[in-house]
Structures are given as structure tokens and as C-alpha cells.
Amino acid sequence: MSIKSFAAKLFAGYIKRKTNRWASKPIENQQKVFEELISKAKNTAFGKDHHFDKIKSHLDFVKYIPLRDYEGLKDYIDRVVKGEENILWPGKPLYFAKTSGTTSGAKYIPITKDSMPNHIEAARNAILMYIAETGKSEFVDGKMIFLQGSPEMTEQNGIKVGRLSGIAAHYVPGYLQTNRLPSWETNCIEDWETKVDAIVEETYQKNMSVISGIPSWVQMYFERLQKKTDKKIGDLFPEFDLFIYGGVNYEPYRAKFENLIGRKVDSIELFPASEGFFAYQDKQEEKGMLLLLNAGIFYEFIPAAEYYSESPSRLSIGEVETGVNYVMIISTNAGLWGYNIGDTVQFTSVKPYRVIVSGRIKHFISAFGEHVIANEVESALKEAVEYFQEVRINEFTVAPQVTPPEDSLPYHEWFIEFENSPHDLDAFAKKIDEALQKKNSYYNDLIKGKILKKLQIVSIRKNSFNDYMKTQGKLGGQNKLPRLSNDRKIAESLLKLNAQ
């Protein structure tokens, strides 16, 4: 065992004890975060406009702080972008994490000197908790790759601007820099396909032990490695034993990954975003990720069924229940207040508090009142793939078909890019549909009541989803394909691409 590996084990033990202490006092820690946020921001422009001097409790907070998304907070953020100080948080942000918006163009998410350490420590602690649980630390001596955005940044009114993953690249500790791939020059390549090819050239002869990234883009990397070397990834990288991922559910990709790798590897799920690092997987055998309740973020949870009502419930951590679909609302030491990040979560445990990401509040299908969410379609697909063991899937998305041919009922249309197709596509579709009916009673009622007919699968050609993402300017990096749409914009684009 190397000195680095031994030191990692010692540090992991310390972090585990520290984590267990704060996780055992969730409500107290959230109250402490709440009080610190209000105290520090009371003299900002936002704090004065929203009567922070009168806020003594969560009830006061709900009274004075309305729910907002980026558009709702944009007037304040625009002032920060222009260089004004003390608007949302004391002083100026260190960075803006620039992301693509839908209605507002580019979004500038502030990252402050108070919030940045939380991003870095959470990513580090996720790995250390894995070491503490499994005793495995030898991987720290191998090469590690993080598929991410370019670390290059611009500057706007004294504030650096870049992608979150690129910003984080500047904080990789020195003792890992010699292990880290790809090179700085390769990481700065903007075109994703060119970048992946360059990463393949840099890494295919290295001793890779840890690989991290969004599953769909890591899959592209694996496929190109295999094409170049004609080897399973596990044979090419004998020391590769840990996959770290976030952004999307890994389960739809798991069978394909294990086939590409040639064996099973351990994995750690993360829940990071430009707005904050919210949770990470702390136990290999427990479902869900540990919600970080002491990291500068105050959480509220709105039952998804109430979200579009006039006065939805805003629950604090002590009021949530397992198995309920919640919209997650955050207030942070980066200056986001009553902010809807768009994700929905479900608690798998409250001792300690662990969550899964169940979808996006805007990504659902309810064209007929069924309100099917991402977690339900992903779970149904997983069941079908496990039953039809020959099936492997690269990517998929689902849309409603509300105008079927005459004399036919409407249905859910699944667009699936198969690596290995089922021998009987109709039987595969039936298995998914049966699983989905069990998971969503509204969908079951619509099928049984003959309002909907059972789902239909459109098998689309290889690389269709990559081609679609190219047309949207969102190939690679941190971009994710919506699993569900309540309209047919993605569906019609895919059909058009497949007709070419």
C-alpha cells in the first residue's frame, strides 16, 4: 500500500465520523444553516427588499420569500452580472457558472467564496465515504479521468465565467494532479466529438482506475475505446474499479456499461448542479444519496401534486416522508432564495435523509391526466431489460401520441435506440407497459378504461440521439436528454432524423 493510499484511508475514517455526527442531527443543522443565511444576507439588496430583519422562523421565510426559478430571480442576477455588489449575497461572486437557458438564453448562476468550498468538499467526501465503507483505496494511485466541460473561463465585470465542471477543474488538489487525465489542452477542446477522440488517444494505454462523467457521454468514450482497441474496457484498464456519475439515472445504462466493461464495477452517484452540490451516495448497498444538510443550503420541499396549486405546502426537512414526489426548493450561500432548480426528489430514508432524483418538474407526461414521471419510466424500462436479458439500450425518450391514426386510441410513444434489440419487440413493449401500470395508478386507470392503448415503441437508428443533441448545440459535456416530454418536439425531430 502506497503512502497516498494509506493516507486516504486515514482521512476517510475522519470524514466518516464527521459525516455521521452532522447526519445524526439533521433538523438542528438545517436550522443553523437557515439562521446563518438570513444573518449574512440581511443587508443585501435582496435581504432589504424581502424583510430579512423580520424573519425569525420558517413561517416568516415563507411569508416574505416567494418561490422563484431563474426567470423570477433574473432582475437581481442581472444586477450582479453588471458588477453591482451586495445584491443577493455580500460582495461579488467568485464565479458565474454559465449554463444554457430555455427562455432567457444563457443563465448565470452565482458561485461565491462561501459556496465554492461546498462543491469541492462534497465531491471529495463522496470518494472518501466510499473508501471508508469498502476499505478500497488503491485506486488513488491509478489514473483518473473526469469527462467534463472546458476549464477555460472568460471574465465579466471582474467575475470569472465558465462551466461548473470547468470551474471545479481548477480546484483539483495537487496530490491528484499527476493522476488526472485528460491533459489541460485536451480538456479545453470545445467540440465534443473531437474532444472524445483526443481523450481516447491520451488514455487508451494508461492505467485508468477511476472514470467519472454523465453516463451517456462516458458510454461514447467507452465505445470509441473499444473501436480503437477491439478490447473490453475492463481488459484495457485492468485496474478500473470505480465509476462516478451524476446528472441522470444510471440504471438504463447499466446493462450496456457492464457489457462494454466486461464485468461489474463499483459506482458512486452524485447530485451536483451549478446551484449547489446537494447529495452523494454514501453507502453501496443503500438506495439513495445522503442529502447534505450542513453545506450552506437550506431546503424546502413541495409535494409535486401541489406544485401548480395557488398555495403549495413548503415543507422543511423534518416534515418530509419517504416515497412522496417532491419539488426541491433551495436557498443558498451563493444568493439563491426560494429557488426551484427544477428537479423532483423522493426520500428513500429519513434516518439519515437520503434521496433519489425522480425527474424534472417540467419533464413529465400528463397529456391525459396520468402525470407519469421519469423515475417511473426508468424503473419500468429497467424491469423489462432485466427480464429480456439480451436487450441493451443506448438511450431513450418518451412522448405522448395524442393524434393517432383514425379508429385508434392515443398512447405513449417510446423512442428507443437499441444496442441489442429484443427478439420480440411487442412482448418487450408489453412488459414495460405492465410495469408502468403498476407504478402509476392513473396510467393504469387510463389503460383499463380504454382511454389510452398500451405504449408503442419506435426503434430508431444508432446515434440518433447524438445527432439530435448536435442539432440543439448540446452534444457532450453536462448536457442531458429529457427522458419525458409532454409535447412532441423531440419526438418529431427524431422521426425527421430517422427519415433522412
Side-chain angles (χ1 to χ4, degrees):
M1 180 182 294
S2 70
I3 293 175
K4 187 188 294 187
S5 175
F6 179 70
K9 276 194 172 184
L10 290 178
F11 193 30
Y14 165 74
I15 291 298
K16 181 180 180 180
R17 292 189 295 274
K18 185 177 179 182
T19 300
N20 289 343
R21 282 197 297 271
W22 68 253
S24 67
K25 297 181 178 180
I27 296 173
E28 293 92 328
N29 273 287
Q30 274 289 274
Q31 181 63 27
K32 183 179 178 182
V33 169
F34 175 78
E35 292 171 359
E36 288 177 350
L37 292 176
I38 298 302
S39 175
K40 286 190 176 182
K42 66 182 179 182
N43 292 320
T44 62
F46 188 93
K48 292 175 181 177
D49 290 346
H50 293 82
H51 310 287
F52 275 28
D53 59 328
K54 297 180 181 178
I55 295 176
K56 309 299 180 186
S57 67
H58 182 226
L59 285 176
D60 296 334
F61 188 82
V62 171
K63 177 181 177 181
Y64 291 116
I65 311 297
L67 299 172
R68 286 179 167 94
D69 56 12
Y70 185 85
E71 294 300 316
L73 206 60
K74 190 172 183 296
D75 287 346
Y76 287 98
I77 292 176
D78 284 348
R79 291 173 64 184
V80 182
V81 173
K82 289 175 183 177
E84 292 187 49
E85 297 186 10
N86 303 316
I87 303 302
L88 289 165
W89 192 252
K92 286 186 178 183
L94 288 179
Y95 306 100
F96 286 118
K98 188 176 180 181
T99 66
S100 58
T102 51
T103 59
S104 60
K107 294 165 65 175
Y108 293 85
I109 307 299
I111 299 176
T112 64
K113 65 179 181 181
D114 294 296
S115 69
M116 190 68 218
N118 299 134
H119 287 273
I120 304 307
E121 289 176 12
R124 179 201 69 189
N125 290 352
I127 297 173
L128 291 170
M129 289 292 282
Y130 168 81
I131 293 172
E133 180 189 12
T134 65
K136 300 175 183 177
S137 62
E138 292 78 8
F139 65 84
V140 302
D141 295 313
K143 295 292 184 182
M144 306 179 186
I145 186 168
F146 300 89
L147 295 179
Q148 57 191 176
S150 171
E152 289 188 315
M153 289 188 278
T154 59
E155 192 168 300
Q156 190 153 340
N157 296 314
I159 302 169
K160 293 180 180 179
V161 180
R163 298 174 184 173
L164 175 64
S165 60
I167 292 169
H170 292 264
Y171 287 83
V172 175
Y175 61 85
L176 289 181
Q177 286 290 5
T178 55
N179 299 62
R180 187 173 179 272
L181 289 168
S183 66
W184 186 269
E185 292 74 21
T186 295
N187 235 355
C188 290
I189 296 173
E190 286 292 342
D191 179 76
W192 183 252
E193 291 189 289
T194 304
K195 183 173 185 171
V196 171
D197 287 338
I199 292 172
V200 167
E201 290 299 321
E202 282 194 8
T203 58
Y204 80 96
Q205 292 180 312
K206 301 293 185 182
N207 175 27
M208 304 302 302
S209 60
V210 178
I211 297 173
S212 175
I214 291 177
S216 52
W217 307 125
V218 175
Q219 179 177 304
M220 179 189 288
Y221 167 59
F222 283 172
E223 289 170 341
R224 296 199 179 184
L225 278 169
Q226 193 172 63
K227 183 178 179 180
K228 180 176 180 63
T229 65
D230 199 30
K231 290 183 177 181
K232 295 282 189 182
I233 305 305
D235 295 330
L236 186 63
F237 302 140
E239 304 300 319
F240 171 44
D241 281 315
L242 182 59
F243 174 49
I244 303 173
Y245 69 95
V248 298
N249 188 350
Y250 180 40
E251 291 308 320
Y253 300 96
R254 188 179 292 276
K256 175 67 184 296
F257 264 61
E258 290 177 356
N259 180 258
L260 284 167
I261 297 167
R263 53 183 166 82
K264 292 184 177 182
V265 298
D266 288 348
S267 60
I268 304 174
E269 183 176 8
L270 310 178
F271 186 8
S274 299
E275 295 87 351
F277 202 124
F278 308 121
Y280 58 71
Q281 182 180 354
D282 66 315
K283 295 283 188 181
Q284 287 291 295
E285 301 302 323
E286 295 286 344
K287 185 179 181 182
M289 296 171 283
L290 184 68
L291 190 65
L292 305 181
L293 300 173
N294 70 332
I297 301 171
F298 177 70
Y299 297 93
E300 298 174 278
F301 301 92
I302 299 174
E306 296 183 26
Y307 182 72
Y308 291 105
S309 66
E310 190 172 325
S311 299
S313 304
R314 292 169 64 173
L315 308 178
S316 59
I317 193 66
E319 301 172 287
V320 299
E321 301 174 3
T322 58
V324 177
N325 204 39
Y326 293 106
V327 180
M328 193 169 81
I329 306 297
I330 60 170
S331 298
T332 78
N333 55 7
L336 303 177
W337 301 102
Y339 188 92
N340 176 16
I341 64 170
D343 286 321
T344 58
V345 300
Q346 292 178 4
F347 284 88
T348 60
S349 164
V350 294
K351 290 184 179 180
Y353 285 92
R354 293 194 181 98
V355 297
I356 58 168
V357 180
S358 53
R360 300 278 293 169
I361 189 61
K362 292 182 179 180
H363 293 170
F364 60 88
I365 297 179
S366 198
F368 314 97
E370 63 274 41
H371 208 87
V372 170
I373 63 173
N375 186 55
E376 292 167 343
V377 300
E378 289 169 345
S379 296
L381 182 61
K382 179 187 176 186
E383 285 187 28
V385 169
E386 288 176 346
Y387 186 83
F388 293 83
Q389 295 185 4
E390 80 275 10
V391 175
R392 296 191 193 95
I393 288 171
N394 290 335
E395 191 58 275
F396 78 99
T397 192
V398 188
Q401 177 51 274
V402 297
T403 56
E406 195 172 349
D407 299 325
S408 179
L409 294 173
Y411 54 88
H412 286 187
E413 194 165 30
W414 288 56
F415 295 82
I416 302 180
E417 181 183 317
F418 290 100
E419 179 68 20
N420 284 358
S421 300
H423 297 305
D424 187 338
L425 190 63
D426 289 338
F428 186 69
K430 182 181 178 183
K431 192 70 177 178
I432 299 173
D433 202 89
E434 289 172 348
L436 188 56
Q437 287 185 55
K438 290 177 183 176
K439 296 175 188 306
N440 187 299
S441 60
Y442 301 109
Y443 181 73
N444 178 67
D445 290 343
L446 291 167
I447 295 290
K448 294 291 189 288
K450 299 190 184 303
I451 305 300
L452 295 178
K453 70 176 182 180
K454 292 180 181 179
L455 65 87
Q456 305 288 301
I457 293 176
V458 177
S459 179
I460 59 176
R461 63 170 173 78
K462 297 281 181 67
N463 296 315
S464 290
F465 286 100
N466 283 349
D467 291 344
Y468 168 74
M469 295 297 273
K470 276 185 194 176
T471 67
Q472 304 301 302
K474 293 185 176 183
L475 183 66
Q478 303 302 300
N479 298 307
K480 295 162 283 189
L481 177 82
R483 290 277 186 242
L484 291 162
S485 305
N486 206 37
D487 57 43
R488 291 189 58 81
K489 291 179 183 177
I490 296 175
E492 294 304 326
S493 293
L494 288 169
L495 289 171
K496 187 176 179 180
L497 284 168
N498 273 261
Q500 293 175 355

